[in-house]
Amino acid sequence: MQLTIDPDIEDMTTSLMRFIEREVIPIEEANKALLADDRSLFDATGRYVPEVLALRRKVRMRSAELGFYTLFGAADLGGSEMGARASTHIQETLYRRYGPARTLIQTVVLPSPFTNGLTPVLRALPPRTLARYREGIASGDKTLCFALSEPDAGSDVMAMKTRAVREGDAWVITGTKQWITNAPYADYAMVFAVTDAQQAAKRKGGITGFLVDMRTPGVAAPSVVRVMGHLGGETGTFTLDKVRVADDHRLGAVDQGLAVAIGGVSAGRLGLAAMSLGLAQWALDLALGYAKVRKTFGVPIAQHQAIQFMLADSAMDIYAAKAMLQKCSLRIDHQQDVVAEISMVKAFCTEMVGRVMDRCIQIHGGMGLTNELRLEEGMRLARQTRIPDGTGEIQRRTIALQMLAGKLDL
Ligand SMILES: Cc1cc2nc3c(=O)[nH]c(=O)nc-3n(C[C@H](O)[C@H](O)[C@H](O)COP(=O)(O)OP(=O)(O)OC[C@H]3O[C@@H](n4cnc5c(N)ncnc54)[C@H](O)[C@@H]3O)c2cc1C
């Protein structure tokens, strides 16, 4: 197994960056006043204002037209299936170059790994149903959200209260989903609900997934959940009140939905790890540059050993994270079992970026706290990565359980 990046992955990364520089950055520049500040990005309810949604749609659809938006979709969904190495390399590069998420770049030119776009979860749909929705999703015209979590069920997903009851050839779903990325804007939701309470209580299945059109009577997305100091955002709550969904919109076998969901979440864990790695490198690039030019006591601060140690500690962190991520991605591309490894990589990379970001702010002194350099925004984003797709504690639980079951060969 080679740890070098294949030339076709490098070429694809270069093409994507060229597209962003040529077509997306000019749109950003032309709309600087609108995009630069949360006060113009969001309305009073915390949703993106219509002009921002229109720009995001324009970029998304152009990215799809050029074939970037579907790069990581499975081949049987009509995607390019470039694999884990490619997806982690591209995510890392995007965050290293552009820093904390930019409104028209990271989750727009490429969809989030499993919550939107040609997500692997869609493979669980019956082929005829998939055929109805595929083109709209692949073209970026329609967007998705992935609804597993609830107010009382996050780490403990089996505690979910949303119920789906069979009525003839349909299911009737009732419940509340919370923390759902893209829920305020999505056209469709992948909803997971209890279909057999006894099995779910015994933690032996009993959960089924469904593709739900967000315009179906009974669906409402009443609120945006604002996180980490933002005035609005992409995460929201939505409710389902006796929502009828045809049985041919079921995601996989009845009562076996958790396996479908977890398959998606694993892709998300890897994506957050790659994002953390890129973000850490973005911050260290800034800190290294600043340490060479900022002078105190007559010399650049890079000559003070305390600063050198912070740079070196960050380099060690990044090197270790990168090695872990590359090895794990390679093993995924070789269809190897990586349950524990994905958890190790997710926990390590998302915790690593917090340490690196903190040191890089420290190296910048007062400048590190200004909004201008966006390090404080990077710090907020870094902190967020430790919660979604399984907290650090849940990753450690998985690692330990795999180890105790003899499934982790270090
Ligand atoms: C920005 C953001 C986006 C999100 N996007 C989505 C999405 O698109 N779709 C979706 O379905 N969900 C989404 N989530 C939800 C996310 O997956 C959950 O927040 C996460 O799994 C944690 O669940 P919780 O918030 O209920 O915390 P809890 O499960 O209540 O955990 C609280 C604390 O207890 C700890 N804990 C829990 N159980 C154990 C244990 N057994 N051992 C040790 N410690 C434990 C946790 O680690 C944590 O520190 C998102 C969350 C955020 C913040």
Side-chain angles (χ1 to χ4, degrees):
M1 291 197 293
Q2 292 289 325
L3 275 180
T4 50
I5 303 291
D6 299 344
D8 59 331
I9 298 178
E10 284 294 11
D11 290 349
M12 185 50 74
T13 312
T14 308
S15 306
L16 178 65
M17 297 307 143
R18 210 173 285 146
F19 159 61
I20 293 172
E21 293 299 326
R22 280 196 193 148
E23 300 199 30
V24 185
I25 300 290
I27 300 177
E28 265 201 358
E29 289 294 319
N31 293 278
K32 222 173 188 168
L34 177 68
L35 300 171
D37 195 320
D38 268 19
R39 283 167 292 194
S40 49
L41 272 181
F42 302 111
D43 67 16
T45 69
R47 286 173 173 77
Y48 283 123
V49 297
E51 300 89 305
V52 172
L53 285 175
L55 290 176
R56 283 166 67 90
R57 180 186 168 81
K58 181 177 168 179
V59 171
R60 192 170 65 230
M61 292 194 70
R62 179 68 180 142
S63 174
E65 202 181 323
L66 297 175
F68 296 120
Y69 192 70
T70 49
L71 275 180
F72 306 115
D76 54 3
L77 291 173
S80 307
E81 194 162 337
M82 282 202 69
R85 296 267 358 250
S87 85
T88 50
H89 180 68
I90 289 180
Q91 288 287 355
E92 178 195 335
T93 309
L94 274 177
Y95 279 90
R96 181 172 191 172
R97 184 169 298 193
Y98 299 109
R102 302 246 292 254
T103 314
L104 299 186
I105 301 181
Q106 284 97 341
T107 56
V108 186
V109 294
L110 297 175
S112 304
F114 72 104
T115 61
N116 203 351
L118 291 180
T119 154
V121 178
L122 291 175
R123 298 167 96 177
L125 273 179
R128 282 180 60 177
T129 311
L130 176 63
R132 268 176 61 192
Y133 294 96
R134 204 210 69 86
E135 185 48 37
I137 295 167
S139 67
D141 183 30
K142 306 287 183 197
T143 66
L144 292 164
C145 65
F146 174 93
L148 191 62
S149 304
E150 300 186 0
D152 293 319
S155 306
D156 187 8
V157 287
M158 299 301 279
M160 74 169 62
K161 293 185 177 138
T162 298
R163 294 279 183 272
V165 179
R166 182 118 199 197
E167 275 188 13
D169 63 356
W171 294 81
V172 177
I173 310 179
T174 298
T176 300
K177 294 292 175 180
Q178 186 168 285
W179 308 111
I180 310 305
T181 305
N182 202 39
Y185 316 106
D187 298 284
Y188 314 119
M190 295 164 277
V191 174
F192 295 85
V194 175
T195 38
D196 183 330
Q198 281 184 345
Q199 277 191 52
K202 287 188 211 146
R203 298 177 173 269
K204 294 216 158 95
I207 288 174
T208 308
F210 303 90
L211 185 72
V212 178
D213 189 322
M214 293 294 271
R215 292 164 309 177
T216 314
V219 178
S223 61
V224 171
V225 183
R226 298 168 169 93
V227 292
M228 297 301 284
H230 284 292
L231 299 180
E234 294 177 36
T235 307
T237 301
F238 77 92
T239 53
L240 303 109
D241 181 15
K242 301 194 192 78
V243 174
R244 279 186 82 80
V245 179
D247 186 51
D248 64 5
H249 282 55
R250 188 166 21 90
L251 291 162
V254 175
D255 297 332
Q256 304 302 317
L258 205 57
V260 175
I262 296 301
V265 173
S266 293
R269 288 176 178 173
L270 208 66
L272 279 175
M275 165 183 156
S276 300
L277 177 59
L279 195 57
Q281 294 183 87
W282 169 80
L284 186 57
D285 290 342
L286 279 181
L288 190 60
Y290 190 76
K292 288 180 189 164
V293 296
R294 175 70 179 168
K295 287 189 175 166
T296 66
F297 300 91
V299 295
I301 58 171
Q303 290 187 24
H304 303 310
Q305 194 183 44
I307 299 291
Q308 290 174 359
F309 277 15
M310 284 194 274
L311 292 171
D313 284 339
S314 299
M316 286 193 282
D317 260 338
I318 288 171
Y319 189 76
K322 191 163 184 151
M324 286 174 86
L325 184 63
Q326 286 189 338
K327 183 167 179 197
C328 184
S329 309
L330 199 59
R331 287 185 47 131
I332 293 172
D333 286 344
H334 283 80
Q335 280 79 44
Q336 293 178 357
D337 178 12
V338 288
V339 175
E341 280 95 331
I342 288 186
S343 285
M344 290 197 285
V345 169
K346 200 268 178 179
F348 187 84
C349 292
T350 57
E351 291 168 15
M352 173 282 298
V353 66
R355 295 190 293 271
V356 171
M357 200 62 73
D358 186 65
R359 293 185 200 113
C360 292
I361 288 178
Q362 193 67 16
I363 290 171
H364 279 84
M367 280 307 290
L369 300 179
T370 62
N371 295 351
E372 197 184 324
L373 292 185
R374 301 175 69 230
L375 281 162
E376 66 79 34
E377 196 185 335
M379 185 81 197
R380 285 188 276 140
L381 184 60
R383 184 62 188 84
Q384 265 187 54
T385 59
R386 285 167 53 194
I387 307 285
D389 300 343
T391 62
E393 293 72 31
I394 294 304
Q395 306 306 338
R396 285 173 171 80
R397 180 175 182 268
T398 303
I399 297 161
L401 290 177
Q402 290 281 308
M403 203 159 38
L404 290 166
K407 291 184 183 164
L408 177 58
D409 182 10
L410 294 171

